[in-house]
Structures are given as structure tokens and as C-alpha cells.
């Protein structure tokens, strides 16, 4: 009985989702496969984290005071998203180093409660209290073993450290051992906060910091050393695809032979995954699809900075994708990666 | 007759690269090397600048030893390039001593003018400016454009903490606007970000492109492209990373300054009025992106010699799968002729 009820509920949710995707599904297809979108880039705020953010960055906190799990669900329903994988966003956890372990742990437990309150609608990329590497390893075990998170979330840089630096080796070794999905989000980098009046860090610096982290990961040899850690980069890889020529030529630099890149930079870049948040428009999508296999492009919204529907409409109208490709980006590619 | 045959032959070589065939009277009007491409992003090094920069930034200067104008000519000939508009490059000419900077600018400009007269029809140049000294810069603009008849002026994306939209540059943009001058903008190692990921990843890989994006965004968002509409700006490296951030800038429209008549432009409206060279971006991903945002008429052939050869970029454009032969010809030459008013 309860199974039948579940199936009916799915049918309802799928119908909504299908309307958003502009796809007409036959009833049999609906029963065998709930076809809603999966949003891999969707943020949340635990009350404790919000309280700390409100103290250190009150302007940022304003956006989050309007957020609730229900506001996420409303945006997901409007945009045809069946499920969102929740992750933390800027300003991250380094806002309170003293209580960072508690911030991360609390955020992960809060996300797990949101997930259990709304079955089937949410997943989680667990937060880590870096730079306490020992605490990160403990939290990885808790997030993945106890909370059954879908993966781990990290930021592109932590002060002067970029992902791929030696300091991350124990974390990556553990994620590699577990075949974990790592979702990477940018942050206002230490170098480049408020450089220019009238232009936010999000406009240029977030994308750039993502590019820095990607290149550090690749040229440090980390993608070769930890092949089972499957990395999702935010925002279509920041600005990385636009700099294809530079990295193509850097791969020929004899100084980097120690990175052991049998497939050069591009080959490594193609093994990783990229979400569509903040890039659901013609120029970046045309570039990304020239460099990265379509199967590695995942739907992401960056909610609450953008609504789910804005991203859906952007992808549908950018002129780069066929309906089949949109369906793959919306769901199939993510199911293949997360097994969800 | 013999001479014309030679012209046609060389023109044919160049045209094969550019994917165009020039009529014989067009060829007659051209200098000896024929109607090859025009490279708007091509660097040179005066001996005085080389000596000075060697002492300050030896690691960046290795590529220049040795360099002579003949080496540029050889690379241009190999890549079917008729003419290169030369400019100074990183580490620039400002090393903290304004008097030295003024000497470096003057020496570079005189040297470029001599290259141009030594090899008729093969070189043009963008006047080097002794920034951040504004008065000296205004004098050098007059010297470069009036006395030396340069093709335009060159600036860097940032000077210390100052980006091109900063009010300190207003007198310069005012003067360039009055003269309807062409401004070529080249990135440099930005103060914020020099050596961040060294040694594995150079500033050129990520930071140059980013600093170009910052300068474009700052110039547009500060209203300077609206205030100085006659300055015709060429951005290096296909705009750095700007086209990839199209969505971010699209959403900044509500924060954009308005036109004098009150209309609200988008960021893209202003970006589309400027020009972008192909140096370091002659490959599928960036070329696919920029052609979605910027009109084909505003793309210019640029190589970044000596960091790339002319042939590297020519072949990259031809093989990237984005352009047909007509478009390659337009980028290779036609668009530059339209912008500069001559070939």
C-alpha cells in the first residue's frame, strides 16, 4: 500500500517537472522513471550558520533570512526540479575558525533534517571544517557513513591554499578511497576581494578562483593521483574553458612533467563535471560544450541567487542544446554520477 | 611586370592563409608583401627597454633574447602576415620612476617608428604611454599621434590598484575621445594576483585574462564607454575571460549607467561596440563563445608574438571549426582595414 502511494506521489511530482522541461512523457515512462530535474548546485543555510553570518557579514545574511526549506521547494516546483543537492555557500565556514567544527557538523545535521522532512526532494554535499584536516576526516566519515550524504562540498581556495596543494592530500586520499563526489564552490579569494567599485566579487572573482582551483588540481597531478574522486565544478568551470589555449600550451611545458598528465590538461579537464549555474546562456555554453563531454554537464541553479526556473529557461533558449541534451543535463548525467 | 608578379605570388601565399583572393589592382595598391593578414597584437622590444626590464624582471625577459625586427618579419612571412601593429608588453614600462618611464615610452615610440620606416608597409604601432604620469601621457599621445603618426595608443589593463574606469584616467580618455583614437589594451600581472599559483601556473595563464575582464567590466560599469564613445578600444586575448561571464554581466544591467537620453543599455550593448583580438584564444572553446556575443566585424587577428608565432594563431583559427573562409578573411584583414582606415 505504501509503495503504491509513493508511486502516485512520484507521478504527481514528475508531472510538474515534465511540464517545466517541456517534455511529454508516456504514462509507462513515468512509472518506470521519475524524470524530474536534479539541481546539483542549490544552497541552504542552517540557523546557526546564519546567526554567525549575520554577525560578520550582515548584508549577506539578509538574503538568507528570507530562505527556508519551503522556499527552496517552491523554486524547485516552479522550475521542475524533483531534487536538489544542498551545499553551503559563501562566505563559507572560515567566518568563525574557533567554532568551525561545530559550524560544519551543525550544517550537515540540519541538511539531513531538511532531507528527512521532505523525502526524495533533497540530497547533501557535506560541509568540511578545513583547515583542520583531522576534523575534516572525522566529518567526512560522519557525513558519508552516518548521514549518507551524496558527496562532500569544498571551496576553491582557503586563504592562500588552492585545492590541489599538498595540504589537501589526506582529504583527497580519503575521498579517492571512498569514490566520493566532491562539489567545489568558489569563494571571494584572499587576493581579490572588492577590487573595483561597482563590480561584485561574484561577477569576476568567483569564476576566476574556480579556474585557479581547476588548474591547480590538474597541474599538481591530483586528478591523476586521485582518479576515483569525482569532482563537480561550479558555474561551468568558472572561466576555465575560455582559457583553453593557455592550458593547452601549458601542458607542453616540460617543467610540469612531474604531474604525469598522460592526456594533457584537456584530457584531465574532460574527466571532471561542470554545473550550469550562472552560465545558462549562449557564450559560455557554446564554449563548455566544445571542451567537455555533454555527459559531464550537470544542471545547477545557484539558488537562492537565481531561481531554478531562470536556469531552466536560460538553457532552453541559449540555442546550444537539443531536447535530448537538455534531458541529459537535467537528470540523466547526474543520476549516472550520483547513482541517485 | 616582374615586380607585380612577385606581389601577386606573395599575396597569393598570404591569401591562402587568410582564405581570400585579392584582385590584381588591390595587390598593386599593396606594399611588396601583398594583401596578407594584419596582426594587431604583436610585440617589440627596444634595446633600451630590454636593458632596463632585464635588470628588473629577468624571468619575463628571456623570450626576447635575441630579438630583432627581422625575426618579426620572418614570423610574419611564415604566417602570411602583411603588417603587424606593434606594442610594448609586460612587464611594461612603469617601474616606479616617472622620469625613466617617460624615457622608456619615448624611446619605444621612436624605435617603433624606425621599424616602420625601415620596413615600409610591414609595421604600424600603438604609442606607448608613460602612465601613471597623466601630464607626460598627454604629451606622449600628441607626440605619438601627431608627430609619429602612430595607429593608436596602448595601455595596460591596470596600474597598481587603478583599473581603466578609474577617474584618474579621465583626462586621457577625454583626449583620446577628442581625437577619435584607437586604444589597444594589454593585460599585465595584476597587483592583486602576481605569482599566486607559481611556479606551476603562470600569471599569463589565468591572471592576464582575468585582469582584462576586470578592465572591460570597470570601463563599462563606470560609464566610460558611454562618456567617451569615440575611443575605439581593442581588447587583447578575445577579452580575457569576459565572454564566458556573459550571464553575470547580463544581470548587472540594472546597475549600468544610462545613455544621455535616458535609455538603459545592457552590458552587452557596450561590449559589442568594442574590438577583440584572437591572440591566445585561437581554439574552439573561446572562439565559439566570443562569436555568440560579439559581432564578427569586431574580431581582429592578433598573435601575441613572440609568445606565439603568427602561424600558430593563423592555423588555430583555421582549424577551430568556428569560422568559414570569408569570416577568416574578415578577421585576418578586412576588419582591421575597416577600423584603421587603411591596410
Amino acid at each position: 500500500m505504501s509503495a503504491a502511494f509513493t508511486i502516485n506521489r512520484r507521478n504527481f511530482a514528475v508531472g510538474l517537472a515534465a511540464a517545466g522541461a517541456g517534455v511529454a512523457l508516456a504514462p509507462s515512462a513515468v512509472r518506470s522513471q521519475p524524470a524530474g530535474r536534479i539541481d546539483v548546485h542549490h544552497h541552504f543555510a542552517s540557523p546557526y550558520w546564519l546567526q554567525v553570518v549575520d554577525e560578520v557579514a550582515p548584508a549577506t545574511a539578509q538574503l538568507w533570512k528570507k530562505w527556508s526549506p519551503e522556499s527552496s521547494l517552491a523554486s524547485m516546483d516552479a522550475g521542475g526540479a524533483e531534487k536538489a543537492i544542498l551545499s553551503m555557500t559563501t562566505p563559507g565556514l572560515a567566518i568563525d575558525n574557533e567554532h568551525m567544527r561545530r559550524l560544519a557538523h551543525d550544517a550537515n545535521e540540519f541538511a539531513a533534517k531538511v532531507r528527512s522532512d521532505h523525502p526524495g526532494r533533497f540530497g547533501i554535499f557535506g560541509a568540511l571544517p578545513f583547515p583542520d584536516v583531522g576534523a575534516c576526516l572525522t566529518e567526512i566519515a560522519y557525513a558519508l557513513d552516518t548521514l549518507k550524504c551524496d558527496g562532500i562540498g569544498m571551496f576553491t581556495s582557503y586563504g592562500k591554499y588552492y585545492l590541489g596543494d599538498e595540504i589537501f592530500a589526506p582529504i583527497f586520499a580519503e575521498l579517492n578511497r571512498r569514490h566520493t563526489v566532491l562539489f567545489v564552490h568558489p569563494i571571494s579569494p584572499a587576493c581579490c576581494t572588492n577590487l573595483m567599485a561597482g563590480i561584485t566579487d561574484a561577477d569576476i572573482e568567483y569564476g576566476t578562483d574556480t579556474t585557479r582551483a581547476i588548474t591547480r588540481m590538474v597541474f599538481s597531478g591530483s586528478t591523476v593521483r586521485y582518479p576515483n574522486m569525482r569532482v563537480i565544478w561550479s558555474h561551468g568551470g568558472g572561466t576555465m574553458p575560455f582559457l583553453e589555449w593557455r592550458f593547452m600550451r601549458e601542458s607542453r611545458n616540460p617543467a610540469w612533467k612531474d604531474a604525469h598528465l598522460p592526456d594533457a590538461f584537456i584530457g584531465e579537464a574532460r574527466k571532471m563535471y561542470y554545473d550550469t549555474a550562472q552560465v545558462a546562456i549562449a557564450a559560455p555554453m557554446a564554449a563548455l560544450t566544445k571542451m567537455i563531454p555533454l555527459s559531464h554537464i550537470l544542471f545547477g541553479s545557484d539558488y537562492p541567487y537565481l531561481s531554478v526556473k531562470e536556469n531552466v529557461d536560460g538553457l532552453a533558449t541559449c540555442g546550444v542544446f537539443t531536447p535530448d541534451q537538455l534531458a541529459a543535463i537535467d537528470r540523466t548525467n547526474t543520476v549516472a554520477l550520483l547513482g541517485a | 611586370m616582374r615586380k607585380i608578379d612577385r606581389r601577386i605570388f606573395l599575396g597569393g601565399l598570404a591569401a591562402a592563409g587568410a582564405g581570400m583572393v585579392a584582385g590584381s589592382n588591390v595587390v598593386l595598391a599593396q606594399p611588396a608583401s601583398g594583401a596578407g593578414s594584419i596582426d594587431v597584437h604583436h610585440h617589440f622590444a627596444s634595446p633600451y627597454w630590454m636593458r632596463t626590464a632585464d635588470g628588473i624582471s629577468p624571468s619575463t625577459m628571456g623570450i626576447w633574447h635575441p630579438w630583432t625586427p627581422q625575426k618579426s618579419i620572418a614570423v610574419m612571412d611564415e604566417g602570411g602576415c602583411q603588417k603587424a601593429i606593434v606594442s610594448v608588453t609586460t612587464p611594461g614600462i612603469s617601474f616606479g620612476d616617472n622620469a625613466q618611464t617617460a624615457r622608456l615610452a619615448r624611446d619605444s615610440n621612436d624605435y617603433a617608428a624606425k621599424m616602420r620606416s625601415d620596413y615600409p608597409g610591414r609595421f604600424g604601432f600603438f604609442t606607448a604611454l608613460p602612465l601613471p604620469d597623466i601630464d607626460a601621457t598627454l604629451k606622449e599621445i600628441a607626440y605619438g599621434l601627431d608627430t609619429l603618426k602612430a595607429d593608436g595608443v596602448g595601455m595596460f589593463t591596470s596600474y597598481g590598484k587603478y583599473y581603466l574606469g578609474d577617474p584618474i584616467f579621465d583626462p586621457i580618455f577625454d583626449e583620446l575621445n577628442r581625437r577619435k583614437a584607437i586604444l589597444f589594451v594589454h593585460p599585465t600581472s595584476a597587483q592583486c594576483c602576481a605569482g599566486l599559483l607559481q611556479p606551476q601556473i603562470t600569471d599569463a595563464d589565468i591572471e592576464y585574462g582575468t585582469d582584462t575582464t576586470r578592465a572591460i567590466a570597470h570601463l563599462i560599469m563606470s560609464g566610460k564607454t558611454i562618456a567617451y564613445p569615440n575611443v575605439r578600444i581593442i581588447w587583447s586575448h578575445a577579452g580575457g575571460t569576459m565572454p564566458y561571464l556573459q550571464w553575470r554581466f547580463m544581470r548587472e544591467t540594472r546597475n549600468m549607467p544610462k545613455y544621455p537620453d535616458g535609455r538603459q543599455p545592457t552590458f552587452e550593448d557596450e561590449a559589442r561596440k568594442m574590438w577583440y583580438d584572437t591572440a591566445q584564444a585561437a581554439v574552439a572553446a573561446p572562439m565559439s563563445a566570443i562569436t555568440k556575443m560579439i559581432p564578427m566585424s569586431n574580431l581582429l587577428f592578433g598573435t601575441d608574438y613572440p609568445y606565439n608565432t603568427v602561424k600558430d594563431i593563423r592555423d588555430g583559427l583555421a582549424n577551430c571549426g568556428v569560422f568559414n573562409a570569408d569570416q577568416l578573411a574578415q578577421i585576418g584583414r578586412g576588419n582591421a582595414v575597416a577600423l584603421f582606415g587603411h591596410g
Side-chain angles (χ1 to χ4, degrees):
Chain A
M1 260 323 279
S2 73
F5 176 73
T6 304
I7 288 166
N8 285 340
R9 252 185 96 248
R10 276 188 195 153
N11 280 347
F12 175 69
V14 168
L16 274 179
V23 182
L25 291 171
S28 59
V30 171
R31 269 191 205 93
S32 60
Q33 188 197 0
R37 233 172 232 108
I38 302 172
D39 179 358
V40 301
H41 187 149
H42 193 108
H43 298 303
F44 77 103
S46 77
Y48 173 45
W49 181 76
L50 177 54
Q51 179 194 321
V52 178
V53 172
D54 203 17
E55 286 163 22
V56 298
T60 306
Q62 290 313 306
L63 176 73
W64 284 108
K65 287 180 179 173
K66 292 177 265 177
W67 178 84
S68 66
E70 287 69 30
S71 74
S72 272
L73 287 166
S75 191
M76 290 159 66
D77 288 345
E82 176 190 306
K83 187 171 186 176
I85 316 296
L86 299 170
S87 57
M88 300 203 69
T89 185
T90 54
L93 297 155
I95 48 178
D96 184 355
N97 285 313
E98 197 183 335
H99 302 104
M100 198 184 296
R101 292 175 71 158
R102 195 182 139 204
L103 271 172
H105 196 72
D106 173 81
N108 291 336
E109 294 207 304
F110 179 80
K113 178 155 193 320
V114 172
R115 182 183 57 184
S116 65
D117 286 348
H118 306 278
R121 303 304 302 275
F122 293 107
I124 307 163
F125 291 126
L128 296 187
F130 189 86
D132 185 339
V133 173
C136 285
L137 295 173
T138 305
E139 198 62 30
I140 288 171
Y142 182 73
L144 299 179
D145 295 338
T146 306
L147 298 181
K148 312 287 182 199
C149 290
D150 298 274
I152 292 295
M154 292 186 80
F155 291 98
T156 47
S157 62
Y158 295 84
K160 68 177 180 179
Y161 298 113
Y162 278 84
L163 295 189
D165 284 355
E166 191 54 31
I167 192 172
F168 298 100
I171 296 171
F172 289 172
E174 178 64 4
L175 298 180
N176 187 60
R177 187 182 71 78
R178 289 170 172 272
H179 293 243
T180 304
V181 172
L182 172 65
F183 172 75
V184 185
H185 195 276
I187 197 158
S188 288
C191 58
C192 305
T193 302
N194 292 324
L195 284 181
M196 293 173 292
I199 296 158
T200 71
D201 293 344
D203 288 338
I204 300 173
E205 306 308 331
Y206 284 16
T208 302
D209 217 48
T210 303
T211 304
R212 291 191 192 109
I214 294 171
T215 55
R216 187 61 136 193
M217 286 279 272
V218 171
F219 287 113
S220 67
S222 298
T223 54
V224 173
R225 207 170 303 131
Y226 310 111
N228 303 321
M229 179 175 76
R230 291 162 298 159
V231 185
I232 304 173
W233 296 100
S234 294
H235 310 135
T239 58
M240 182 276 286
F242 204 81
L243 298 171
E244 180 182 12
W245 178 278
R246 297 279 193 182
F247 302 133
M248 185 182 76
R249 291 176 69 90
E250 203 61 277
S251 293
R252 295 189 210 146
N253 187 334
W256 317 143
K257 279 189 179 147
D258 63 347
H260 303 299
L261 302 179
D263 304 315
F265 176 86
I266 306 287
E268 295 306 309
R270 289 169 61 86
K271 293 175 185 167
M272 302 193 280
Y273 297 79
Y274 301 84
D275 80 44
T276 60
Q278 306 282 359
V279 285
I281 192 166
M285 283 297 115
L288 184 66
T289 51
K290 291 285 183 181
M291 193 173 176
I292 301 301
L294 193 91
S295 59
H296 285 216
I297 301 175
L298 311 177
F299 180 82
S301 74
D302 215 353
Y303 181 82
Y305 299 101
L306 299 167
S307 73
V308 175
K309 186 169 185 304
E310 283 172 299
N311 288 277
V312 171
D313 293 348
L315 290 173
T317 59
C318 72
V320 177
F321 302 110
T322 66
D324 282 352
Q325 291 172 328
L326 287 172
I329 292 168
D330 281 343
R331 179 176 176 87
T332 328
N333 295 345
T334 302
V335 170
L337 175 63
L338 296 177
Chain B
M1 198 55 217
R2 218 178 125 83
K3 207 166 183 183
I4 290 167
D5 285 342
R6 207 175 137 260
R7 280 177 188 164
I8 290 171
F9 174 70
L10 287 171
L13 270 181
M20 69 180 286
V21 178
S24 58
N25 60 338
V26 175
V27 173
L28 276 170
Q30 298 302 329
S33 52
S37 61
I38 298 173
D39 178 0
V40 305
H41 187 153
H42 192 110
H43 298 303
F44 77 105
S46 79
Y48 173 45
W49 178 73
M50 266 207 259
R51 277 198 310 278
T52 309
D54 270 344
I56 293 160
S57 182
S59 64
T60 36
M61 295 304 289
I63 195 164
W64 289 106
H65 296 284
W67 178 82
T68 61
Q70 290 89 331
K71 285 191 74 174
S72 275
I73 294 282
V75 164
M76 291 158 66
D77 286 347
E78 176 201 38
C81 174
Q82 179 208 325
K83 188 174 186 175
I85 318 292
V86 298
S87 53
V88 295
T89 185
T90 51
I93 59 171
S94 310
F95 304 113
D97 172 352
N98 280 358
Q100 180 198 53
T101 301
R103 284 196 303 275
L104 282 166
R106 180 57 56 96
D107 172 78
S108 291
N109 293 330
D110 285 338
Y111 187 86
K114 182 158 190 314
M115 280 170 65
R116 184 182 56 184
S117 62
D118 285 349
Y119 298 92
R122 303 308 301 274
F123 293 112
F125 69 98
F126 294 119
T127 310
L129 299 183
L131 284 158
D133 183 335
I134 302 296
D135 289 337
T137 295
L138 292 171
K139 280 185 201 140
E140 202 63 24
I141 290 171
Y143 181 72
L145 299 182
D146 296 337
T147 306
L148 298 182
K149 312 288 182 200
D151 296 278
V153 305
M155 288 176 77
F156 289 99
T157 46
S158 60
Y159 292 86
K161 67 178 182 179
Y162 298 107
Y163 282 85
L164 291 192
D166 195 278
I168 69 162
F169 299 114
D170 284 359
I172 295 172
F173 279 98
D174 221 28
E175 178 63 5
L176 298 177
N177 191 60
R178 189 182 69 76
R179 290 171 172 273
K180 300 183 168 55
I182 294 171
L183 168 63
F184 172 75
V185 186
H186 194 275
T188 189
S189 285
Q191 187 184 57
C192 56
C193 307
L196 270 186
L197 299 177
Q198 298 276 25
Q200 286 180 318
I201 297 146
T202 70
D203 291 347
D205 288 336
I206 300 173
E207 305 308 332
Y208 283 16
T210 303
D211 218 49
T212 304
T213 303
R214 291 190 191 110
I216 295 170
H218 199 229
L219 207 66
I220 290 178
M221 297 301 293
S222 65
K224 298 299 157 72
T225 56
I226 295 171
Y228 306 113
N230 302 323
V231 187
R232 291 167 294 162
I233 305 178
I234 304 171
W235 296 99
S236 295
H237 311 135
T241 57
M242 183 276 286
Y244 205 79
L245 300 171
Q246 182 183 20
W247 177 283
R248 297 276 191 184
F249 295 129
M250 176 192 79
R251 292 180 62 89
E252 288 292 4
T253 292
R254 61 185 179 279
N255 299 320
M256 280 276 294
K258 291 186 168 55
Y259 289 132
D261 65 8
R263 283 178 304 129
Q264 172 68 72
T266 64
F267 184 94
E268 217 164 290
D269 289 337
E270 292 306 295
R272 288 168 62 89
K273 293 176 181 166
M274 303 193 280
W275 282 260
Y276 301 83
D277 80 43
T278 59
Q280 307 283 2
V283 64
M287 285 296 113
S288 300
I290 195 165
T291 50
K292 294 282 185 184
M293 190 172 179
I294 301 300
M296 193 64 68
S297 57
N298 290 31
L299 302 185
L300 304 173
F301 183 71
T303 66
D304 214 351
Y305 176 83
Y307 304 100
N308 295 301
T309 67
V310 173
K311 189 171 176 300
D312 283 336
I313 301 297
R314 184 196 68 184
D315 293 350
L317 291 173
N319 298 330
C320 73
V322 177
F323 303 111
N324 63 34
D326 285 348
Q327 291 168 331
L328 288 172
Q330 206 183 334
I331 294 167
R333 178 177 176 84
N335 293 341
V337 171
L339 174 62
F340 290 98
H342 57 79

